[in-house]
Amino acid sequence: MIFLVVTRDPIDPLAVAAVVGGFAIATACAVALVGLAVEERDAALARPRRRQPQRARAIRRGVEVGALVAALGLLRAVDGLSLITGGFVVAGFVLAELVLTARPAARSG
């Protein structure tokens, strides 16, 4: 990515997309790595019995944060990022996370 930044013209759309994509992937990996570490630690400290770490949830959140960074970065690159558009994009990702983490209600019947 450093090679791309140093050798490309910042006006080139492909270079801008590559930088935004690289930054989004790096952010997603960092968030997923921190989430995995937290899940492993919390699973080891769980009382009264140990539980299995939920690795899929940590990786999903990393991917979500990476996609959010990519969406906001691309909006900024095309000069379409404002408080309103950014708020709607973030609200969409927050709503998706709430829906994915909601536990189904107890079955009656």
Side-chain angles (χ1 to χ4, degrees):
M1 186 155 112
I2 294 172
F3 177 75
L4 182 70
V5 170
V6 172
T7 60
R8 293 285 186 173
D9 186 21
I11 305 295
D12 186 20
L14 183 62
V16 173
V19 168
V20 169
F23 185 69
I25 290 172
T27 304
C29 290
V31 169
L33 188 62
V34 169
L36 284 172
V38 169
E39 278 292 327
E40 293 286 338
R41 183 191 54 134
D42 287 348
L45 296 175
R47 300 274 185 232
R49 61 177 190 257
R50 295 176 60 110
R51 66 172 176 84
Q52 292 294 322
Q54 296 179 351
R55 293 180 184 98
R57 181 173 61 181
I59 293 171
R60 183 190 74 225
R61 286 184 178 159
V63 170
E64 286 175 352
V65 169
L68 178 63
V69 167
L72 293 175
L74 290 176
L75 277 172
R76 177 67 184 109
V78 298
D79 209 19
L81 184 64
S82 69
L83 186 62
I84 294 171
T85 57
F88 275 111
V89 170
V90 171
F93 278 95
V94 168
L95 181 64
E97 178 62 26
L98 289 174
V99 167
L100 289 172
T101 58
R103 297 181 186 236
R107 293 170 52 178
S108 62

